[in-house]
């Protein structure tokens, strides 16, 4: 029998408000800072912080700590605690949450810690890395035996009945998300057009990098919004100078989920390459980059563009952004073959579309199926508005509906007035 599986790695779906309200129903004095840390630290590791909170509800009896662990230990998952032993203590809420997220990360992923993260989980090295990618895999590992031995003859039997340590966590999580609707706010994607204003970037054959990056960024935005109903913001949408730190700060302040910086290369080479911050290739940031890079290269290779590879660099916008970030170097402005492509608006549009498609895929967005409205339907109606024969914008959404007699009469009267030179209403 197949046992359903829920990955530990993934984006949180429950909001801070939903989590806090759920816990406070049972424990009114719950400190929401704990839930906030689960979401923040979880996002950093690509671990489901919202489900990890459910694990802590299970471990701490709704953060009321009736067992061996005391609240001041900031140990929300009984790390190191076994029958009478109080377990590990952590100096801050953040450290306690980080230890738990790191321990989950150890079980669910073979990758190194995200860049710049210090190890605080005292039991990290005891885990066979990546051995338990799903919450259902934690029975017999995080919790031993992780099922009721008086009820089930084996772990397998408990798994098939859906009554193990991991199932208890998932049941609590289901309760959490059932109490309030999970907000359907889509993750924010920030598109960063490199250079701008007094900073032209590289140049060649009469082209300026700052103009090409802006053209691409606007087209990528259109693709993501029109094709995927994505939530997109730009660090600049006109020819203005924006400092590198300001670009990162904008994205950080907006709470962005992904940062995509668009540049054109120069300096004697040819082709396409992508960059992530050093040390992040193996993690969530690297996984996203692989999807974006491969989607773009699939298109560019048909144009005989060289794939220069997936690289790492300590660029400011990659270093200072708090979320996953990628920087794309789209062809060389000082290479004849590349410039012939960059100067072709059709190629630029296609390139922007595949960048958008890759980013959407990396963010798990599905294409929006949009009804295609033929131009001949909109042309005539647009003309009616242009001439003032139709004024209420509501009609624009009713292209296929019949017009009531009074509306037809108004249009005819306005047309008569227009033709007889009497423009007054
Ligand atoms: Zn550049």
């Amino acid at each position: 029998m197949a046992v359903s599986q829920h990955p530990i790695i993934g984006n949180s779906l429950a909001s801070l408000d939903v989590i806090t309200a759920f816990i406070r129903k049972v424990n009114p004095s719950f400190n929401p800072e704990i839930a906030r840390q689960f979401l923040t630290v979880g996002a950093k590791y690509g671990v489901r912080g919202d489900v990890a909170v459910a694990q802590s509800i299970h471990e701490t009896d709704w953060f009321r700590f009736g067992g061996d662990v005391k609240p001041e230990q900031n140990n929300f998952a009984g790390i190191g605690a076994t029958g009478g032993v109080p377990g590990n203590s952590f100096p801050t809420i953040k450290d306690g949450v980080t230890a738990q997220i790191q321990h989950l990360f150890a079980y669910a992923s073979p990758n190194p810690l995200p860049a710049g993260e210090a190890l605080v989980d005292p039991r990290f090295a005891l885990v066979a890395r990546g051995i338990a990618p799903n919450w259902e895999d934690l029975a017999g590992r995080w919790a031993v035996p992780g099922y009721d031995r008086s009820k089930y003859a084996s772990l397998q039997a408990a798994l098939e009945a859906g009554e193990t340590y991991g199932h208890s966590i998932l049941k609590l999580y289901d309760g959490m998300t059932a109490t309030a609707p999970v907000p359907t706010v889509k993750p924010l994607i920030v598109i960063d057009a490199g250079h701008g204003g007094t900073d032209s970037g590289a140049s060649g054959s009469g082209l300026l990098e700052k103009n090409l990056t802006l053209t691409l960024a606007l087209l990528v935005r259109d693709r993501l919004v029109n094709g995927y109903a994505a939530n997109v913001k730009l660090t600049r949408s006109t020819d203005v100078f924006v400092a590198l730190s300001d670009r990162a700060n904008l994205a950080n302040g907006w709470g962005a989920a992904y940062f995509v910086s668009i540049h054109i290369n120069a300096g004697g080479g040819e082709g396409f390459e992508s960059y992530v911050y050093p040390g992040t290739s193996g993690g969530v940031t690297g996984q996203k980059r692989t999807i974006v890079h491969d989607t773009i290269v699939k298109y560019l290779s048909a144009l005989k563009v060289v794939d220069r590879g997936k690289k790492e660099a300590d660029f400011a916008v990659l270093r200072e952004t708090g979320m996953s970030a990628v920087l794309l170097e789209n062809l060389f402005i000082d290479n004849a073959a590349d410039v012939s492509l960059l100067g072709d608006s059709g190629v630029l549009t296609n390139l922007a579309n595949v960048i958008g498609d890759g980013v959407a895929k990396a963010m798990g967005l599905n294409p929006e199926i949009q009804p295609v409205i033929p131009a001949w339907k909109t042309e005539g109606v647009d003309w009616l508005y242009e001439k003032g024969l139709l004024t209420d914008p509501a009609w624009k959404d009713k292209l296929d509906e019949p017009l009531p007699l009074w509306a037809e009469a108004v249009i005819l009267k306005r047309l008569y007035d227009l033709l007889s030179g009497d423009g007054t209403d």
Side-chain angles (χ1 to χ4, degrees):
M1 176 185 159
V3 176
S4 77
Q5 298 188 314
H6 296 79
I8 292 170
I9 298 295
N11 296 324
S12 290
L13 298 174
S15 70
L16 177 58
D17 288 347
V18 165
I19 296 168
T20 303
F22 179 66
I23 299 170
R24 282 192 165 171
K25 274 188 188 171
V26 178
N27 175 8
S29 58
F30 172 69
N31 178 2
E33 172 61 15
I34 298 171
R36 198 182 71 79
Q37 289 295 347
F38 269 103
L39 294 179
T40 308
V41 179
K44 198 176 281 172
Y45 285 78
V47 165
R48 289 292 299 267
D50 50 0
V51 186
V53 175
Q55 179 185 29
S56 289
I57 295 173
H58 180 72
E59 290 277 357
T60 65
D61 186 26
W62 299 84
F63 296 89
R64 292 181 297 192
F65 298 93
D68 297 327
V69 182
K70 299 290 166 254
E72 56 272 20
Q73 285 177 242
N74 292 314
N75 182 344
F76 307 110
I79 293 175
T82 44
V85 179
N88 296 101
S89 293
F90 302 97
T92 62
I93 290 173
K94 187 184 177 186
D95 283 337
V97 169
T98 302
Q100 183 175 342
I101 295 290
Q102 286 181 346
H103 208 58
L104 287 166
F105 182 74
Y107 272 118
S109 166
N111 295 326
L113 296 184
E117 285 291 288
L119 183 65
V120 293
D121 170 21
R123 303 178 67 81
F124 192 88
L126 303 175
V127 175
R129 298 296 315 279
I131 197 170
N134 304 298
W135 295 97
E136 288 89 343
D137 303 327
L138 292 179
R141 297 196 169 96
W142 191 301
V144 180
Y147 69 98
D148 186 348
R149 274 190 165 145
S150 67
K151 212 169 160 186
Y152 297 103
S154 67
L155 173 59
Q156 187 57 31
L159 276 171
E160 288 179 9
E163 286 200 47
T164 68
Y165 176 73
H167 290 99
S168 304
I169 294 168
L170 291 164
K171 233 166 268 175
L172 280 164
Y173 175 74
D174 285 346
M176 179 194 290
T177 47
T179 51
V182 175
T184 53
V185 174
K186 298 198 174 180
L188 175 66
I189 300 161
V190 172
I191 306 295
D192 175 52
H195 312 278
T198 52
D199 170 17
S200 297
S203 60
S205 308
L207 297 174
L208 295 180
E209 181 182 1
K210 66 169 183 176
N211 294 337
L212 290 168
T213 59
L214 182 57
T215 301
L216 280 170
L218 293 170
L219 289 168
V220 171
R221 190 255 324 259
D222 289 349
R223 179 65 160 195
L224 284 165
V225 171
N226 298 333
Y228 299 89
N231 185 11
V232 180
K233 280 186 191 286
L234 301 166
T235 54
R236 70 178 179 99
S237 57
T238 55
D239 184 18
V240 290
F241 175 81
V242 184
L244 294 175
S245 291
D246 290 344
R247 295 167 190 260
N249 290 338
L250 279 172
N252 293 339
W254 288 331
Y258 199 27
F259 184 91
V260 182
S261 190
I262 294 178
H263 286 256
I264 311 294
N265 225 332
E270 61 173 321
F272 170 85
E273 63 195 17
S274 65
Y275 289 90
V276 295
Y277 189 70
T280 64
S281 288
V284 189
T285 300
Q287 289 163 13
K288 284 194 175 81
R289 185 268 291 276
T290 296
I291 296 171
V292 174
H293 184 104
D294 291 351
T295 306
I296 296 167
V297 162
K298 193 178 167 196
Y299 164 68
L300 290 178
S301 61
L303 300 175
K304 305 274 179 277
V305 171
V306 177
D307 177 6
R308 301 170 61 86
K310 304 178 177 95
K311 303 182 176 179
E312 295 186 340
D314 184 13
F315 293 138
V317 289
L318 300 179
R319 182 178 62 246
E320 295 176 23
T321 40
M323 71 294 311
S324 285
V326 66
L327 187 144
L328 309 174
E329 289 283 6
N330 301 281
L331 313 186
F332 280 69
I333 205 163
D334 53 2
N335 174 274
D338 281 4
V339 161
S340 72
L341 297 173
L342 290 171
D344 181 331
S345 65
V347 171
L348 276 190
T349 304
N350 290 339
L351 176 57
N353 285 345
V354 293
I355 293 172
D357 291 345
V359 169
K361 203 170 163 198
M363 296 303 289
L365 300 176
N366 294 317
E368 287 275 298
I369 297 153
Q370 288 190 329
V372 178
I373 303 167
W376 54 264
K377 278 192 185 178
T378 51
E379 258 172 41
V381 176
D382 286 345
W383 184 85
L384 290 179
Y385 282 101
E386 209 180 287
K387 294 294 174 192
L389 301 174
L390 208 51
T391 49
D392 185 349
W395 295 111
K396 281 191 181 178
D397 298 327
K398 300 176 185 171
L399 289 178
D400 289 318
E401 286 178 34
L403 221 48
L405 178 61
W406 64 263
E408 284 181 40
V410 169
I411 291 175
L412 286 172
K413 181 175 179 300
R414 285 176 181 167
L415 181 62
Y416 177 83
D417 291 345
L418 182 74
L419 293 175
S420 56
D422 179 6
T424 55
D425 242 344

